[in-house]
Amino acid sequence: MGASKVDIYSDQINAIAAIAKVFAHPARVAILKYISSQESCICNDIVDKIGLAQPTISQHLKVINEAGLLNGSFEGKSICYCLNVDRFQEIQEHLNAYFNQTKSNCC
Amino acid sequence: MGASKVDIYSDQINAIAAIAKVFAHPARVAILKYISSQESCICNDIVDKIGLAQPTISQHLKVINEAGLLNGSFEGKSICYCLNVDRFQEIQEHLNAYFNQTKSNCC
DNA sequence: ATTTAATATCGTAATATTGCAATAATACAA
DNA sequence: TTGTATTATTGCAATATTACGATATTAAAT
């Protein structure tokens, strides 16, 4: 097979896995870090900074965007990619809730 | 290609991605949740609970174990898999450090 | 020593992910 | 309108992941 059997898990569990997946590639972690460190940045900067080809960066940005983690308009020429800090915080809290819940009752 | 270019990222970034990868599959999130909810549990319980074949569970447990998240001996017949709460907490703090650091300076 | 029960490993098929070259689309400037 | 610069999309090759049947290993019980 090879595909995850998403339907056999609860929504909460799938949500955690989906969130984790965004951070499960170093390029995306690096991109998020870089975006947050810049006042505003455009994709070409990222390409130079990270060291991957432009289409590859664009693909990773799409994943990050689909997680709701990008702010600003992003079509056309010179574009401002910004970290959606609210969503970023929300994700952090979501993860912490899972961690705290899981920690609570153990041998 | 298809392989992550691990060598072009900092250790910190690769570490975050490696941690996230553990949680990036719902089966592993579910296994961790189940393990933590039981006083002690054996793999066969997990197989019944999660609904994947025994080899598949075993494979996921290996990933979890390699992340240092399992306590107890795990060879032979009846085995007690326990969540390594210390390591679990350590990972939580590691992620929070990354999140807080990334949040701090943004537009 | 044999059986039994539980977990690990191997081999393999199916799907997902990653990465990039080529190309398209978009926005702006001249 | 015609470049020019920037980002998105497409198509494809390579690698990784997921899942499971078959089999091996392990530990305990009989």
Side-chain angles (χ1 to χ4, degrees):
Chain A
M1 308 280 165
S4 301
K5 288 184 161 184
V6 168
D7 47 312
I8 65 175
Y9 309 105
S10 73
D11 287 351
Q12 194 214 4
I13 284 174
N14 281 322
I16 291 292
I19 284 173
K21 212 171 252 185
V22 176
F23 300 91
H25 194 288
R28 291 194 286 271
V29 178
I31 288 171
L32 283 166
K33 191 176 180 183
Y34 180 63
I35 286 179
S36 76
S37 74
Q38 302 302 107
E39 191 59 32
S40 75
C41 83
I42 52 176
C43 184
N44 215 257
D45 288 357
I46 307 179
V47 171
D48 294 343
K49 191 73 185 181
I50 310 282
L52 292 172
Q54 180 268 323
T56 308
I57 297 288
S58 191
Q59 209 170 355
H60 283 303
L61 278 170
K62 194 179 177 189
V63 173
I64 293 170
N65 184 44
E66 281 167 356
L69 281 166
L70 288 186
N71 259 345
S73 65
F74 33 96
E75 304 156 63
K77 193 178 160 190
S78 212
I79 292 158
C80 171
Y81 285 106
C82 276
L83 181 66
N84 182 342
V85 183
D86 288 344
R87 174 66 179 146
F88 196 71
Q89 171 111 20
E90 193 178 290
I91 282 177
Q92 181 181 11
E93 284 165 10
H94 210 291
L95 284 172
N96 274 319
Y98 163 75
F99 271 83
N100 291 334
Q101 185 194 334
T102 303
K103 267 189 315 192
S104 60
N105 44 3
C106 192
C107 52
Chain B
M1 306 280 161
S4 301
K5 287 186 159 184
V6 169
D7 49 310
I8 65 175
Y9 309 104
S10 74
D11 287 349
Q12 194 215 3
I13 283 173
N14 281 322
I16 292 292
I19 285 173
K21 211 171 255 185
V22 177
F23 299 90
H25 193 286
R28 291 194 286 271
V29 178
I31 288 170
L32 283 165
K33 191 177 180 185
Y34 180 64
I35 286 180
S36 77
S37 74
Q38 301 302 107
E39 191 59 33
S40 76
C41 83
I42 52 176
C43 185
N44 214 256
D45 287 359
I46 306 178
V47 171
D48 293 343
K49 192 74 185 178
I50 310 283
L52 292 173
Q54 179 269 322
T56 307
I57 297 289
S58 191
Q59 209 170 355
H60 283 304
L61 279 168
K62 194 179 177 189
V63 174
I64 294 171
N65 183 45
E66 279 166 359
L69 281 167
L70 288 187
N71 260 345
S73 63
F74 34 94
E75 306 156 61
K77 193 178 157 189
S78 209
I79 291 156
C80 171
Y81 285 106
C82 276
L83 181 67
N84 183 343
V85 183
D86 288 346
R87 175 65 178 147
F88 196 72
Q89 170 112 21
E90 194 178 291
I91 283 176
Q92 181 181 11
E93 283 165 9
H94 211 289
L95 284 172
N96 273 319
Y98 162 75
F99 271 84
N100 291 334
Q101 184 194 335
T102 303
K103 267 190 314 190
S104 61
N105 44 3
C106 192
C107 49

